[in-house]
Amino acid sequence: MALIEISAVSREFPGRGAAAQPVLALDEVDLRVEEGDILGIVGYSGAGKSTLLRLINALDKPTAGTVTVDGREVSSLNERKLLPVRADIGMIFQQFNLLSNRTVWGNVLYPLQVAKVPKAEHQARISELLHFVGLADKAHAYPNELSGGQKQRVGIARALATNPKILLADEPTSALDPQTTDEVLALLRRVNEEFGITIVLITHEMEVVRVLAHNVAVMEKGRIVEQGPVYDLFSNPAHPATKRFVSTLVEEGPPERTRARLRDKHEGRFITLSFRDESVTPSDVFAQFIERGVRFELIHGGIEDVHGRTFGHLTLALTGEDAAVAEAVSAVSAMVETKEVP
Ligand SMILES: Nc1ncnc2c1ncn2[C@@H]1O[C@H](COP(=O)(O)OP(=O)(O)OP(=O)(O)O)[C@@H](O)[C@H]1O
């Protein structure tokens, strides 16, 4: 059985206001998260991501279906029985949610006090956690003396205090600048690799998914519309919502609005080549043009990396003898997916 199993889960909220229709925030969602996974859940605002996260830590209950965490069906447990389940789940937030009147040390101490961990263990545990997140020298600082990245590190130390199996992360880097984002993502990767903690992270940033997640689920209007390994979804998205998200990293070809401008600037046939398999590289393809004396100019696209595996889309303008161009395009079509740009 997977560590987290969500089966046919729906969550309906009463509409706000007298005549309002009920809101179906989750609509028959199925999701399995294996132990040790890093799952990214992406979706636009209102897709149901936060609602799904709140069902996993049992802050809310589904109106239909079941949520099982580590073999326990949390959707049916009472508050007392939920305590040990919650101790197995740490959570970090976009706005960090630190206690402003407690020091860094006091913030990490808090969950230990709630979980009634013996006092004799506090000192060693907190210092170990602060070392792990690189904040041993800030133990006596208050949150308002810390940068955003440091606050999120405290959030991570606090979330790990009770040795959870699962870390839920709600937009953990959305309030951070790009460099700090990279540092926090690297720390989260260590949380997963060194402690084997399963991470479920919600985000609207595909870059975060690309860097951190192993698997991804795309949500739209309360449903999971596509899910799978990050490389597969990024290199070959099927659902329009997934395509839109992936295009924020690499576009599948020049969008219509830029085509007229590209035509003004470049001559020849435009073709888009999609690289989804490391066995064929752009230089293998370029060699086909060079061999036939076809000139090619890169006019749009890019190549991205997902955990060391590359994918991407390059649009080229091809000029030369019509017959040579046609022959090269046909040779290249046998190697990679090739589309003529209209
Ligand atoms: N307590 C509630 N009462 C009524 N409607 C709610 C409640 N919580 C969520 N909703 C509605 O359920 C839908 C899903 O909301 P949810 O917050 O899960 O989306 P989200 O994908 O997390 O969005 P965001 O990225 O903005 O947080 C929205 O239409 C929202 O208005």
Side-chain angles (χ1 to χ4, degrees), residues 103-145:
T103 60
V104 166
W105 184 277
N107 269 279
V108 183
L109 171 64
Y110 185 72
L112 297 175
Q113 292 172 323
V114 172
K116 301 201 165 48
V117 171
K119 253 193 178 153
E121 294 171 26
H122 291 176
Q123 171 89 24
R125 182 75 187 128
I126 297 170
S127 87
E128 178 193 13
L129 287 160
L130 292 183
H131 271 105
F132 177 75
V133 301
L135 287 179
D137 58 335
K138 296 281 182 204
H140 303 296
Y142 283 88
N144 67 6
E145 301 170 282

Side-chain angles (χ1 to χ4, degrees), residues 170-288:
D170 187 352
E171 300 273 4
T173 57
S174 299
L176 304 176
D177 62 54
Q179 196 200 327
T180 316
T181 292
D182 289 347
E183 289 164 12
V184 168
L185 295 179
L187 181 59
L188 289 173
R189 169 149 335 110
R190 286 180 54 214
V191 166
N192 173 257
E193 288 176 355
E194 293 177 30
F195 303 128
I197 293 176
T198 305
I199 299 177
V200 179
L201 140 120
I202 62 182
T203 181
H204 60 275
E205 294 167 296
M206 287 311 257
E207 179 59 12
V208 170
V209 174
R210 181 184 75 79
V211 172
L212 187 65
H214 305 157
N215 287 292
V216 57
V218 181
M219 291 192 71
E220 190 179 65
K221 296 184 190 138
R223 288 176 167 264
I224 292 181
V225 293
E226 195 167 357
Q227 57 179 307
V230 173
Y231 184 83
D232 296 359
L233 254 81
F234 276 37
S235 62
N236 216 354
H239 192 276
T242 317
K243 288 185 184 207
R244 273 201 305 278
F245 274 108
V246 174
S247 72
T248 62
L249 286 180
V250 189
E251 286 179 314
E252 244 180 275
E256 260 180 71
R257 62 189 148 74
T258 65
R259 284 182 203 160
R261 188 169 49 79
L262 288 171
R263 292 267 173 226
D264 284 344
K265 276 175 72 179
H266 306 277
E267 292 180 8
R269 267 174 82 175
F270 289 3
I271 59 160
T272 300
L273 311 169
S274 295
F275 295 87
R276 312 198 150 96
D277 174 358
E278 289 91 327
S279 62
V280 181
T281 66
S283 46
D284 297 334
V285 170
F286 298 159
Q288 300 294 323

Side-chain angles (χ1 to χ4, degrees), residues 11-16 23-26 43-52 54 60 170-171 202 204 219 222:
R11 176 63 169 105
E12 192 179 76
F13 291 108
R16 291 172 179 141
V23 178
L24 194 55
L26 294 175
Y44 294 107
S45 183
K49 307 178 298 292
S50 310
T51 304
L52 189 62
R54 289 170 58 79
D60 186 21
D170 187 352
E171 300 273 4
I202 62 182
H204 60 275
M219 291 192 71

